[in-house]
Amino acid sequence: MSIDLNARIPNNVDLADDRRLQRALESWQPSFLNWWKDLGPEGTIDYDVYLRTAISVEADGWAHFDYVKMPDYRWGIFLAPPEEDRRIPFGEHKGEPVWQEVPGEYRASLRRLIVTQGDTEPASVEQQRLLGLTCPSLYDLRNLFQVNVEEGRHLWAMVYLLHAYFGRDGREEAEAMLERHSGDPDKPRILGAFNEETPDWLSYYMFTFFTDRDGKYQLSSLAESGFDPVARTCRFMLTEEGHHMFIGTTGIARVATRTCEVMKELKTEDPEKIRAAGAIDLPMLQRYMNFHFSVSVDLFGNELSTNAANYYTAGLKGRFEETKIDDDHELSNDSYEVTLFEEDQVKQTKQNALLAVNERLRDDYIADCQAGVDRWNKILKRNKVDFEFKLPHRGFHRAIGTFAGAKISPDGQVLTEAEWTKSSKDWLPTRSDREFVRSLMTKGVVEPGKFAGWVAPPGRGINGQPLDFEYVRLH
Ligand SMILES: [Fe+2]
Ligand SMILES: [Fe+2]
């Protein structure tokens, strides 16, 4: 299917043939642009940014690079190509043809799933809106903006589904997406982690590693949905999400690399000396990891969830890589091992697999995070630095599920209130940590090829361009 790039809203959903839908989206577009100008990246209206724009869903078409002013970015609507004769892969409708229209009995549930996912997309743009002012390089600045426009496109993707399939309620939900704002005391974003600030670039790398990765798992389970438009939308979003997580993985690796260099130059492990030299000491990096991991792990919800079980049974939201799992895909007679906090103890329990669908997704997520940590530890090893990053226990610093409010150390010990108070400053970023990190980032580094002193340059540039390429033209 070819896409008319001159249409106001590039798409592969035959928008031109549906005047009602086209008009609805065109009337939402000005609100979106106003929102972008008010709450999108600060002071960037005239920047020319070397961005990737999706112009089709084929392998060679979705990564088209050119200079674009962000308000002119073509936020298109793209669904992955339909799979011929696709069948619902799980739940009580397993084996039936996938739905092209919303089944009446699942309308409210589907709408809720779409709204919850959609709400996170503009939220992250809001959280990151001031970061451009303190960028460590033009390369990083461009990557930030790439993520911002793609999260904007993901909002478009969800708003398309609401407008196309949910009538009036859908239109109201689409408006509300721009009325809730990250951290707004009256109208906050739906999920906790999306109301936290992303106040500095270390937090940003952590966010793209840990929180965008939650997005990968949520989208992957929606990509299995029996409601085919959701599945196809999420499949295409996942192709873009890869770059967001790349920024996190390589960003943290670059910070660790720079810290190792400073440690070698100064022949020291002393955090004070490392900070005095303008680098971020490894224990502080660990504290940031602990924080971002714990708030992201919360995003998977309760360990045991009847909502999740119902979504699964209905065929709305599956498991990660559902079709590759070797079981009956109905789960009514299966069990799954779940770690719970009960009677002041961490317990391994056997639970009904249906009720544990959230926990299984959390397990897949944690294993994926561990792979990143292993990668960073290799950098430390290569530099002969005697330190090892560790993911904290899943019960550490939780606000949702059975561990909510429990005092659990990063290695999984149950603590008294007093023990927690004494040690938590060693485990979570302190106010002085945050102040120090901010003090490293008081202004942007915007000379092509230059990088801030707390982060190593990346291994290579974007789209084969050199590191000193002018990734953003500021005017
Ligand atoms: Fe996204
Ligand atoms: Fe993302």
Side-chain angles (χ1 to χ4, degrees):
M1 199 181 305
S2 75
I3 286 146
D4 179 11
L5 267 175
N6 295 314
R8 286 174 74 179
I9 305 164
N11 69 92
N12 70 346
V13 294
D14 287 333
L15 201 53
D17 296 344
D18 189 339
R19 287 299 297 152
R20 186 198 60 79
L21 177 59
Q22 193 179 13
R23 272 201 299 272
L25 287 168
E26 282 174 355
S27 74
W28 184 80
Q29 191 180 38
S31 316
F32 172 80
L33 283 173
N34 283 336
W35 166 81
W36 180 270
K37 283 174 189 155
D38 290 345
L39 290 174
E42 175 80 4
T44 60
I45 297 293
D46 292 326
Y47 289 8
D48 286 307
V49 189
Y50 187 67
L51 289 177
R52 170 178 84 178
T53 304
I55 58 171
S56 82
V57 295
E58 281 71 47
D60 61 343
W62 70 273
H64 177 82
F65 285 84
D66 205 352
Y67 284 101
V68 182
K69 290 196 198 319
M70 284 189 281
D72 302 333
Y73 186 81
R74 306 183 68 75
W75 283 282
I77 296 164
F78 297 103
L79 277 61
E83 227 174 77
E84 209 181 312
D85 192 34
R86 183 170 174 251
R87 303 279 159 160
I88 298 169
F90 60 93
E92 65 184 3
H93 301 287
K94 193 183 75 174
E96 297 172 20
V98 289
W99 305 300
Q100 300 302 336
E101 293 297 330
V102 178
E105 72 264 45
Y106 300 143
R107 192 183 160 86
S109 299
L110 263 172
R111 194 181 67 204
R112 184 166 164 200
L113 284 168
I114 293 168
V115 167
T116 308
Q117 177 60 42
D119 190 68
T120 67
E121 313 287 356
S124 68
V125 177
E126 293 165 353
Q127 290 171 291
Q128 297 162 15
R129 64 186 291 267
L130 298 177
L131 286 174
L133 306 173
T134 57
C135 63
S137 71
L138 285 184
Y139 164 90
D140 287 284
L141 187 61
R142 176 256 166 230
N143 285 350
L144 168 70
F145 294 155
Q146 183 70 57
V147 171
N148 292 159
V149 293
E150 284 173 353
E151 302 304 7
R153 204 198 67 72
H154 294 173
L155 170 62
W156 270 94
M158 293 295 126
V159 163
Y160 158 74
L161 292 172
L162 290 169
H163 276 288
Y165 296 98
F166 294 88
R168 197 188 148 146
D169 311 355
R171 286 197 296 281
E172 285 169 5
E173 294 285 12
E175 291 297 330
M177 293 281 197
L178 300 173
E179 288 162 6
R180 289 184 294 269
H181 299 134
S182 180
D184 186 326
D186 301 322
K187 286 190 169 182
R189 292 294 175 186
I190 295 169
L191 301 171
F194 292 88
N195 287 303
E196 299 279 347
E197 280 185 85
T198 310
D200 58 66
W201 279 78
L202 182 57
S203 302
Y204 176 64
Y205 292 152
M206 294 286 169
F207 185 96
T208 45
F209 182 84
F210 288 108
T211 309
D212 275 291
R213 191 171 310 274
D214 158 69
K216 167 183 167 185
Y217 283 84
Q218 302 303 335
L219 291 175
S220 297
S221 50
L222 289 171
E224 305 288 343
S225 182
F227 180 50
D228 208 37
V230 160
R232 291 173 53 207
T233 298
C234 292
R235 280 175 197 196
F236 187 63
M237 288 162 73
L238 279 165
T239 60
E240 292 166 325
E241 213 58 60
H243 179 64
H244 307 182
M245 291 177 287
F246 162 87
I247 291 171
T249 314
T250 56
I252 296 168
R254 288 164 54 206
V255 176
T257 300
R258 179 62 193 142
T259 304
C260 289
E261 283 170 12
V262 169
M263 291 171 75
K264 275 199 278 192
E265 279 163 27
L266 300 181
K267 298 194 178 55
T268 187
E269 291 178 6
D270 180 355
E272 288 305 324
K273 289 184 183 154
I274 293 164
R275 288 183 215 177
I280 299 169
D281 56 283
L282 301 175
M284 195 190 301
L285 267 180
Q286 177 70 61
R287 289 194 287 279
Y288 270 75
M289 281 177 205
N290 292 348
F291 175 77
H292 286 270
F293 175 75
S294 60
V295 296
S296 301
V297 152
D298 265 342
L299 291 169
F300 291 83
N302 289 313
E303 292 89 353
L304 302 175
S305 162
T306 44
N307 264 344
N310 291 339
Y311 292 154
Y312 187 87
T313 301
L316 305 180
K317 185 177 175 187
R319 293 170 293 174
F320 180 62
E321 299 196 321
E322 180 70 46
T323 50
K324 294 186 187 162
I325 300 171
D326 185 19
D327 63 16
D328 71 356
H329 304 278
E330 292 182 42
L331 308 182
S332 22
N333 302 313
D334 294 355
S335 63
Y336 191 78
E337 196 154 314
V338 177
T339 312
L340 295 176
F341 190 66
E342 286 176 339
E343 294 151 349
D344 285 337
Q345 284 174 30
V346 179
K347 288 188 180 162
Q348 302 302 325
T349 67
K350 246 192 169 123
Q351 301 288 343
N352 174 295
L354 258 183
L355 286 173
V357 163
N358 278 350
E359 194 60 14
R360 181 179 179 123
L361 196 62
R362 181 163 19 234
D363 284 342
D364 290 330
Y365 168 81
I366 292 174
D368 199 7
C369 289
Q370 184 62 49
V373 171
D374 293 345
R375 191 175 157 172
W376 303 324
N377 280 331
K378 280 197 191 122
I379 297 172
L380 304 187
K381 241 196 173 142
R382 244 196 333 266
N383 283 283
K384 302 195 172 52
V385 166
D386 185 23
F387 190 93
E388 204 180 330
F389 294 122
K390 286 196 182 86
L391 281 185
H393 187 270
R394 73 181 63 217
F396 172 77
H397 187 237
R398 291 287 301 279
I400 288 175
T402 58
F403 287 100
K407 307 293 180 228
I408 309 286
S409 69
D411 60 359
Q413 302 303 312
V414 183
L415 306 178
T416 63
E417 189 80 40
E419 289 169 323
W420 171 266
T421 309
K422 188 162 160 266
S423 297
S424 59
K425 65 178 186 322
D426 297 329
W427 298 330
L428 290 166
T430 61
R431 182 196 291 234
S432 85
D433 287 349
R434 294 195 182 277
E435 279 167 5
F436 171 72
V437 169
R438 266 192 232 221
S439 76
L440 294 177
M441 306 171 191
T442 52
K443 59 178 197 289
V445 177
V446 294
E447 200 181 317
K450 289 269 183 294
F451 288 82
W454 52 269
V455 62
R460 64 181 72 86
I462 291 293
N463 193 36
Q465 301 291 359
L467 290 189
D468 62 0
F469 184 71
E470 196 175 8
Y471 288 104
V472 182
R473 292 185 184 141
L474 316 160
H475 295 291

